[in-house]
Amino acid sequence: MSEGYSFLVDTSKCTACRGCQIACKQWNGLPGTQTKNEGTYENPLDLSADTWKIVRFSEGSSKDGAPFWHFFSEQCRHCLSPGCMAEVENDEIVQDEKTGAVLFTPKTSKLNYKVTRDGCPYDIPRQDPKTKRLFKCTMCFDRITNDMVPACAKSCPTGALVFGERPKILEMVKDRVQDLVKKYPKAKAINPEDVRVIYIITGEPQQYWKLAAGR
Ligand code: SF4
Ligand code: SF4
């Protein structure tokens, strides 16, 4: 496989505007979800067959009492060795050779949903209750194979989402972490060798989202 593509997700630049979440819905023609106020800024509350990208909000205080307020633009990580593919026998899920995108095909309706979802260390796959087909982020495969960046990266107004060739993104990740540790000693990239969607965080993973670093 070629080196393919990757994302840098710099959570220190994220303002939780949710532009990426909406751009994902718009480009992929996904319907809005009826929601109600559950006492959190997250809306909707979780990923679904119709929501492939969601901005997680997390607030609290550290062991030393310092408050934190973190945002985490959640999506499929497009793993290099995808755990969701463990049960695949007939191309229900495929990994594109050129881009590295992990793609759920219509044949995912034949997969065992629980096994596929449990196989993902980040709890990403979701099932359409009617068709039984599984869904998640496609890396905007139709855009990236036509010389466009994914809709989320295109929409991000702060530069928190950057998409590009994997070697360049890995260099950018390294440089950005080196910069951030001067101000945030805990700054780090999460599992950069294992995933194509590489999050940079400035605190502990559990301060962002329960599955930020994988199970
Ligand atoms: S994050 Fe989960 S769904 Fe996405 S490629 Fe990795 S294992 Fe599969
Ligand atoms: S578009 Fe960028 S700044 Fe806005 S929520 Fe998404 S990652 Fe954060």
Side-chain angles (χ1 to χ4, degrees):
M1 183 189 287
S2 71
E3 294 270 18
Y5 295 113
S6 283
F7 286 88
L8 179 162
V9 187
D10 185 348
T11 63
S12 75
K13 291 185 179 174
C14 178
T15 60
C17 70
R18 278 193 281 242
C20 52
Q21 188 177 313
I22 301 306
C24 177
K25 285 241 180 211
Q26 186 181 41
W27 179 259
N28 292 296
L30 299 168
T33 308
Q34 189 70 42
T35 60
K36 57 179 184 168
N37 190 334
E38 300 273 0
T40 167
Y41 287 98
E42 285 181 24
N43 186 13
L45 285 182
D46 202 4
L47 296 168
S48 72
D50 292 332
T51 302
W52 304 346
K53 175 102 168 156
I54 191 168
V55 180
R56 309 279 189 194
F57 288 62
S58 172
E59 70 180 304
S61 51
S62 316
K63 284 181 203 145
D64 60 5
F68 63 79
W69 179 231
H70 292 319
F71 311 127
F72 193 87
S73 178
E74 173 98 291
Q75 63 167 91
C76 167
R77 313 305 199 265
H78 295 276
C79 303
L80 274 69
S81 297
C84 60
M85 291 180 74
E87 294 288 300
V88 165
E89 288 181 358
N90 297 303
D91 290 344
E92 294 92 346
I93 302 174
V94 295
Q95 198 170 19
D96 180 59
E97 285 277 320
K98 188 160 177 262
T99 62
V102 177
L103 302 167
F104 283 10
T105 75
K107 289 196 251 176
T108 50
S109 58
K110 307 282 183 210
L111 288 174
N112 181 316
Y113 174 39
K114 184 172 184 322
V115 170
T116 305
R117 185 167 167 176
D118 285 352
C120 171
Y122 306 101
D123 193 31
I124 297 296
R126 294 292 187 273
Q127 187 179 50
D128 181 317
K130 287 190 187 134
T131 66
K132 307 299 179 196
R133 184 175 165 184
L134 308 187
F135 289 95
K136 66 163 192 68
C137 159
T138 66
M139 202 190 268
C140 276
F141 192 69
D142 49 353
R143 290 177 64 92
I144 63 175
T145 49
N146 283 287
D147 299 325
M148 291 184 280
V149 299
C152 58
K154 180 77 178 170
S155 76
C156 180
T158 66
L161 291 177
V162 183
F163 180 81
E165 290 170 8
R166 182 167 172 80
K168 283 187 196 157
I169 293 292
L170 286 172
E171 278 301 309
M172 288 177 75
V173 166
K174 210 166 89 190
D175 291 348
R176 183 62 182 153
V177 171
Q178 270 173 9
D179 263 0
L180 282 169
V181 286
K182 293 174 198 154
K183 188 170 177 194
Y184 305 101
K186 291 181 178 169
K188 58 172 145 319
I190 301 178
N191 305 335
E193 303 307 325
D194 300 333
V195 295
R196 290 183 182 277
V197 180
I198 305 167
Y199 291 86
I200 294 177
I201 58 174
T202 53
E204 301 292 349
Q206 57 271 26
Q207 289 177 340
Y208 287 76
W209 166 241
K210 59 185 176 177
L211 295 172
R215 291 187 238 235

